[in-house]
Amino acid sequence: MTAPRDALISAIDLHKAFGPTPALDGASLEIAAGEVVAIMGPSGSGKSTLLHCIAGITTPDSGRIVYRGRELSGMSDATRSALRRGEFGFVFQFGQLVPELSCLENVALPLRLDGHKRREAERRAASWLDRLEVGDVAHKRPGEISGGQGQRVAVARALVTAPRVVFADEPTGALDSLNGERVMKLLTEAARDTGAAVVLVTHEARVAAYSDREVVVRDGRTREVELMNR
Amino acid sequence: MAIGETFLGLLESRPRHGYDLKRAYDERFGQGRALAYGQVYATLSRLLKSGLIEVHGIEPGGGPERKRYAITDAGVTDVQRWLTQPEKPDLYLQNTLYSKVVLALLTGRPAADILDTQRAEHLRLMRELTRRKSTGDFPDQLICDYALFHLEADLRWLELTAARLDQLAKEVSA
């Protein structure tokens, strides 16, 4: 596989099975700093498992994941958690916002967990909500806003800590075309402006078209279409 | 693209010179493929002959570019008929990609690679259109969306075919 230069993350020959079912069967992937990569493939191809492995959420059965020169598998759970909190941002299909907190508090939460004072955390959160064009819902709870607004709040929460990588698993999967495109446009523009890489799992080509390149996963293996994209 | 009918539609809003018509057409519908002057004047001459437009005045200086054209009642009826008649949807029943996949299977070449190469090319185009959309005005966004949805449909077919290559290989070799 031809690797992008200056890989931020390298995943090499990953295998992962859930019971007797193999989800990854020798998947490899490299992500460069600041690039937007779409992981595509049919349902059940292993694309989400690949994302979860490289994000340190799931541990592969074998294979290596190297993030900025450090092996994820060699890290303690605490170190991996700190890495996820400090350097990674996450956006899932259903925002997964905390329903009891306002949108502003949701976005400020990663900063609060990181020890920032409330006022500073909420100031930064408010600025991100504005950036994602959802400043007007700051004091509403997730249950009081639309799905499209919720995903934009989730994107703000993913970016508020200035992560090096944003992992997005079907971020537009629950949205209609218009809202989905708005989320993708705002997410990729914000990521490019801040220099964050985006690893995006999607089965929708129009969503993948916001990426710099795509990697196709089939039967748990990555196909070498990357070569053709370059 | 139905140039004659489009001209009629543009003329219905107001009379125009040939040059104006060409410019309006190129700006709104040309998408980087400007009409040739020969095509403009050949179309106008056909519309004149059919009584769908008429010369509405000639500015001093003569020459075809100095004539103003206006739509006639017959022309308005023609536009009305064209606008309300549904376009025949393309059936896409003969397609080169399908032929390539079948021929690859028949000759023992890797058909999956053909589909992957095509997928990469489609996505490259889709990226280009997505970038254009993000900087374009609203009409431009709609035009790009039309193209994007069609490319997406192709990609879905590519994906589905990739998943059923084994079955197709059996059918082809039977």
Side-chain angles (χ1 to χ4, degrees), chain B residues 8 17 30 32 38 47 80 106 123 126 128 136 140 144-145 154 159 164 172-173:
Chain B
L8 288 176
H17 294 103
L47 295 174
Q80 169 68 14
L106 277 174
L123 264 167
M126 288 183 78
E128 233 176 84
D140 212 31
C144 289
D145 272 337
D154 284 353
E159 191 55 58
R164 297 187 296 188
V172 163
S173 60

Side-chain angles (χ1 to χ4, degrees), chain A residues 126-149:
Chain A
S127 140
W128 271 105
L129 285 171
D130 285 342
R131 173 88 189 260
L132 273 298
E133 300 171 3
V134 276
D136 53 335
V137 302
H139 299 291
K140 291 190 172 171
R141 290 186 179 186
E144 300 170 318
I145 62 175
S146 72
Q149 288 170 327

Side-chain angles (χ1 to χ4, degrees), chain A residues 143-216:
Chain A
E144 300 170 318
I145 62 175
S146 72
Q149 288 170 327
Q151 277 309 68
R152 280 182 276 151
V153 173
V155 171
R157 185 184 56 184
L159 288 163
V160 75
T161 54
R164 286 181 197 268
V165 193
V166 175
F167 294 97
D169 193 356
E170 299 280 6
T172 64
L175 304 179
D176 61 40
S177 294
L178 268 184
N179 273 304
E181 297 220 5
R182 202 158 169 208
V183 165
M184 280 315 298
K185 187 168 187 282
L186 290 165
L187 167 62
T188 48
E189 277 175 4
R192 285 187 212 286
D193 289 352
T194 58
V198 178
V199 184
L200 165 75
V201 162
T202 183
H203 66 278
E204 289 180 85
R206 273 178 308 109
V207 171
Y210 284 86
S211 68
D212 299 316
R213 67 185 171 103
E214 79 275 8
V215 174
V216 180

Side-chain angles (χ1 to χ4, degrees), chain A residues 1 136 221:
Chain A
M1 187 170 80
D136 53 335
R221 285 184 295 274

Side-chain angles (χ1 to χ4, degrees), chain B residues 87-123:
Chain B
E87 288 295 307
K88 193 167 188 257
D90 283 323
L91 275 178
Y92 303 108
L93 286 176
Q94 279 98 29
N95 84 71
T96 311
L97 265 179
Y98 171 76
S99 312
K100 278 191 174 182
V101 170
V102 169
L103 287 171
L105 292 173
L106 277 174
T107 56
R109 291 182 169 91
D113 289 358
I114 290 173
L115 293 170
D116 277 341
T117 306
Q118 193 60 48
R119 158 201 275 277
E121 180 59 15
H122 265 60
L123 264 167

